[in-house]
Amino acid sequence: MYKRVLLKLSGEALAAGKGFGIDAVFIHNVAAEIAAVHAAGCEIAIVVGGGNFFRGVAQQAIDMDRVAADHMGMLSTVINSIALQDAIEKLGLFCRVMSAIEMHQVAEPYIRRRAMRHLEKGRIVIFAAGTGNPYFSTDTAASLRAMEIKADVLLKATSVDGIYTADPKLDPTATKYEEITYMEILRQNLRVMDQTAVSLCKDNNLQTIVFSMKVPGNIVRVVNGEKLGSLITS
């Protein structure tokens, strides 16, 4: 159904419930799903969070300068990106990590035209280090990169199977939205993505699908057009 997608993976998901670090089995399962999407003829770019190592707004960063904490968070995403790249390449695919913070020994610098050329040549591209700027989350980075590469849709893979009226882990009465607008998310202050990312997608008419990555095969199903999770529209 989609020709080019941007997949946003949360860092916490890569820890597979352990809270810290990378679960080797889980990351290889994710890589296999990404390979299946690629085999179906879809160009795929990825943004990975860094919450499994360090989050700039988390408790351990409470006494730290926000800029320093955010830079640490960005470097965490580079660790995750390199791990995911390795898992993807073990399946025989070509994969490039492009970092918004230049570090030539481990990743290419992010250049939009080069990223699009990689995708056209059938390579998988992982965007690391967020936007390269403090105070911006990886959700905002995913929204920005999706629009820069002209992705058809932003796929946000999380630990929850969609958007709810409240946190379903805390409130058993929370109900799920099959479809919702960005304006409604802002109005209800739903914590699906940060407000900068929501505004960015809304202003540029980029659709987002929020779905669970806990169920094997979900990434392929969403790309093929199955109705999973929650659809966010302008």
Side-chain angles (χ1 to χ4, degrees):
M1 182 180 179
Y2 298 113
K3 179 77 177 76
R4 178 179 291 170
V5 301
L6 190 133
L7 175 65
K8 167 63 169 62
L9 300 172
S10 72
E12 288 94 333
L14 297 182
K18 295 177 182 175
F20 184 85
I22 297 167
D23 184 283
V25 174
F26 185 77
I27 201 167
H28 280 93
N29 290 340
V30 171
E33 287 202 47
I34 291 165
V37 170
H38 181 269
C42 180
E43 296 172 2
I44 182 164
I46 305 159
V47 170
V48 191
N52 53 326
F53 287 111
F54 193 87
R55 184 182 286 278
V57 292
Q59 194 62 36
Q60 67 259 39
I62 204 83
D63 295 323
M64 198 176 286
D65 177 70
R66 175 66 191 270
V67 175
D70 280 358
H71 280 140
M72 289 174 69
M74 287 180 225
L75 296 180
S76 300
T77 71
V78 178
I79 296 172
N80 285 336
S81 298
I82 293 169
L84 185 58
Q85 179 190 38
D86 180 70
I88 290 169
E89 288 182 339
K90 278 187 168 64
L91 298 172
L93 299 174
F94 293 101
C95 183
R96 298 288 185 270
V97 173
M98 304 190 87
S99 172
I101 297 175
E102 290 194 15
M103 44 184 85
H104 297 287
Q105 285 84 352
V106 296
E108 294 181 17
Y110 171 69
I111 300 169
R112 175 180 172 264
R113 286 179 179 271
R114 184 182 287 179
M116 294 180 78
R117 189 71 182 128
H118 283 322
L119 292 168
E120 288 163 4
K121 286 189 171 183
R123 297 167 186 151
I124 294 164
V125 181
I126 305 174
F127 298 120
T131 64
N133 301 294
Y135 297 100
F136 290 94
S137 72
T138 49
D139 279 343
T140 302
S143 306
L144 177 63
R145 297 288 181 251
M147 287 176 292
E148 284 182 317
I149 65 168
K150 301 188 186 304
D152 299 326
V153 68
L154 171 59
L155 305 177
K156 185 170 164 61
T158 67
S159 58
V160 185
D161 67 336
I163 302 168
Y164 285 78
T165 51
D167 189 340
K169 295 173 184 173
L170 304 175
D171 185 357
T173 63
T175 55
K176 180 181 164 187
Y177 290 105
E178 297 296 326
E179 192 170 322
I180 190 170
T181 64
Y182 290 112
M183 187 60 78
E184 198 63 25
I185 287 173
L186 291 171
R187 193 179 67 78
Q188 295 187 40
N189 196 27
L190 299 175
R191 302 192 179 280
V192 189
M193 305 156 73
D194 67 272
Q195 293 191 346
T196 309
V198 172
S199 299
L200 208 53
C201 291
K202 173 182 165 291
D203 292 344
N204 293 278
N205 298 319
L206 178 68
Q207 287 191 348
T208 301
I209 301 173
V210 180
F211 66 100
S212 171
M213 65 184 299
K214 286 184 174 179
V215 181
N218 265 3
I219 298 172
V220 182
R221 291 188 196 104
V222 169
V223 170
N224 285 335
E226 278 190 43
K227 287 201 171 183
L228 288 179
S230 302
L231 173 67
I232 316 175
T233 62
S234 296

